[in-house]
């Protein structure tokens, strides 16, 4: 797998990030890790989580589809970084064993394009608003992070996400949710997300969302023949930390057409209208989850006992 630092390939960009990249990654990563670690200490209600999101100072990812060749280096690096099975096989969809993938799309004229798909790390995430137990949280550093210890497996986040991102592990008796967490395990140590570091074509860039928007606007302004005049994620669903540039209109590449209105606003409204249903489902799911966990632990203990007896 070719691994070339993205800043090398993008050296000719009009606007260079002003902050030392490594220092930025280190600070962002430490922040995300600290935020994840201190999750229990903050207000985790859906409304608070949705409104305490990042601004343009927080981390983001810019994906330039005009530079993507569909080599799949990013998707394979993602698998390796997240200890997923079959790290040599390019995934064809998001799943519990693939947090990102590269889809092949055709525009209206029949021309082919490759699109890296992953969590958009929304500024006002509907998944966070829909989660009744605070298992998902928008960190101030940019990433939407997941706490499996809190998850009860109700899958409300799956229904709420306008991008169809969270996946459920049906093979696991504890059925956990899976999604990209912007590689906080790497950025905490001063590294870029694995997909960014793996892209040999400079199609991916990690940095402050505000800087990425400036760079994206400059690319459109200086090369209007190359880009559609649209930064996807600047405003969609209230804005996202993952931004896209494309040579053709995004709706031709199966990007959902969304208004500037936050989807979390609607999700919160629905949740407020159905507290009894939500609480009932949450209670049932919690009970089932605890029951399965107990059975799982019981099975493991039995297995250990029988192994001891065999010895
Ligand atoms: S894309 Fe979906 S899973 Fe990712 S932050 Fe937005 S709502 Fe949540
Ligand atoms: S940021 Fe990390 S988890 Fe997310 S798509 Fe890239 S490699 Fe995968
Ligand atoms: S590594 Fe870069 S060029 Fe290759 S598929 Fe991913 S985004 Fe596209």
């Amino acid at each position: 797998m070719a691994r070339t630092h993205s800043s090398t390939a993008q050296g000719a960009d009009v606007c260079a990030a002003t902050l030392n990249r490594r220092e930025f990654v280190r600070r962002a990563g430490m922040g995300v890790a600290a935020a994840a670690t201190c999750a229990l200490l903050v207000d985790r209600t859906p409304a608070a989580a949705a409104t305490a999101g990042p601004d343009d100072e927080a981390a983001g990812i810019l994906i330039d589809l005009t530079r993507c060749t569909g080599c799949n280096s990013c998707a394979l690096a993602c698998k390796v970084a997240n200890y997923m099975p079959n790290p040599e096989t390019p995934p064809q969809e998001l799943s519990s064993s693939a947090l990102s993938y590269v889809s092949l799309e055709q525009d209206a004229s029949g021309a082919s394009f490759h699109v890296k798909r992953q969590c958009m790390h929304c500024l006002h995430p509907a998944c966070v608003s829909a989660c009744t137990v605070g298992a998902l949280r928008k960190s101030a550093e940019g990433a939407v992070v997941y706490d499996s210890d809190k998850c009860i497996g109700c899958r409300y986040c799956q229904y709420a996400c306008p991008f169809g991102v969270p996946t459920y592990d049906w093979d696991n008796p504890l059925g956990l949710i899976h999604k990209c967490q912007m590689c906080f395990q790497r950025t905490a140590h001063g590294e870029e997300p694995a997909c960014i570091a793996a892209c040999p074509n400079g199609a991916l860039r990690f940095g402050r969302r505000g800087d990425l928007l400036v760079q994206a606007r400059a690319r459109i302004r200086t090369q209007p023949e190359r880009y559609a005049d649209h930064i996807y994620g600047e405003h969609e669903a209230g804005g996202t930390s993952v931004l896209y540039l494309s040579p053709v209109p995004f709706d031709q590449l199966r990007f959902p057409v969304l208004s500037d209105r936050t989807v979390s606003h609607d999700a919160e409204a629905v949740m407020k209208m159905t507290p009894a249903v939500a609480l009932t489902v949450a209670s049932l799911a919690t009970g089932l989850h605890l029951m399965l966990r107990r059975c799982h632990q019981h099975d493991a203990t039995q297995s250990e006992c029988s192994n001891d007896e065999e010895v």
Side-chain angles (χ1 to χ4, degrees):
M1 183 187 309
R3 285 179 179 258
T4 306
H5 198 283
S6 61
S7 62
T8 309
Q10 296 180 336
D13 281 344
V14 176
C15 295
T18 52
L19 183 71
N20 173 281
R21 172 177 287 194
R22 190 168 182 84
E23 178 63 9
F24 169 79
V25 171
R26 190 184 68 77
R27 284 190 216 167
M30 286 175 63
V32 171
T37 306
C38 299
L40 289 172
L41 302 178
V42 300
D43 182 357
R44 296 173 63 89
T45 60
T51 53
D55 56 18
D56 286 351
E57 291 299 309
I61 293 174
L62 175 61
I63 302 176
D64 187 335
L65 300 182
T66 71
R67 303 184 181 197
C68 178
T69 59
C71 68
N72 270 300
S73 298
C74 55
L76 296 179
C78 178
K79 276 190 163 189
V80 172
N82 291 285
Y83 308 102
M84 296 294 182
N86 305 318
E88 302 301 325
T89 308
Q92 303 299 314
E93 60 183 359
L94 296 180
S95 72
S96 57
S97 58
L99 307 185
S100 65
Y101 77 109
V102 181
S103 71
L104 180 61
E105 309 291 344
Q106 285 192 329
D107 71 358
S109 72
S112 295
F113 300 93
H114 302 281
V115 180
K116 180 184 192 288
R117 310 276 186 183
Q118 62 168 89
C119 173
M120 298 291 288
H121 295 281
C122 306
L123 303 189
H124 305 278
C127 60
V128 171
S129 297
C131 182
T132 56
V133 294
L136 287 155
R137 186 175 56 83
K138 177 71 170 175
S139 73
E141 289 73 24
V144 173
V145 293
Y146 170 67
D147 184 343
S148 61
D149 287 341
K150 289 185 174 294
C151 180
I152 57 172
C154 67
R155 297 168 56 220
Y156 276 18
C157 55
Q158 276 193 298
Y159 301 126
C161 175
F163 301 100
V165 167
T167 57
Y168 189 74
D169 188 354
W170 293 100
D171 296 330
N172 184 327
L174 298 177
L176 299 176
I177 289 295
H178 294 268
K179 66 176 273 311
C180 158
Q181 302 196 71
M182 220 188 267
C183 274
F184 65 87
Q185 76 279 18
R186 285 174 57 90
T187 56
H189 298 103
E191 295 177 276
E192 290 182 316
C195 55
I196 312 287
C199 179
N201 299 311
L204 310 175
R205 174 166 278 199
F206 181 65
R208 282 183 174 139
R209 182 177 187 267
D211 292 337
L212 297 177
L213 281 170
V214 170
Q215 292 161 21
R217 287 189 198 110
R219 288 186 196 178
I220 292 174
R221 189 175 63 250
T222 56
Q223 301 175 81
E225 71 292 345
R226 181 178 177 128
Y227 295 102
D229 187 12
H230 183 180
I231 304 170
Y232 192 91
E234 181 174 13
H235 301 299
E236 276 78 8
T240 59
S241 297
V242 175
L243 306 163
Y244 284 86
L245 285 172
S246 168
V248 297
F250 285 98
D251 60 340
Q252 295 185 22
L253 303 180
R254 291 195 303 126
F255 281 73
V257 178
L258 300 168
S259 72
D260 296 1
R261 187 182 165 91
T262 65
V263 180
S264 56
H265 178 276
D266 298 330
E268 281 170 29
V270 171
M271 296 304 290
K272 278 177 190 157
M273 285 165 57
T274 58
V277 175
L279 278 175
T280 303
V281 172
S283 302
L284 286 172
T286 304
L288 188 61
H289 188 76
L290 291 175
M291 201 170 74
L292 285 167
R293 179 171 281 183
R294 204 166 294 159
C295 288
H296 193 62
Q297 287 168 344
H298 178 72
D299 287 350
T301 309
Q302 291 287 88
S303 169
E304 279 174 21
C305 288
S306 56
N307 284 344
D308 288 347
E309 283 168 10
E310 283 170 17
V311 172

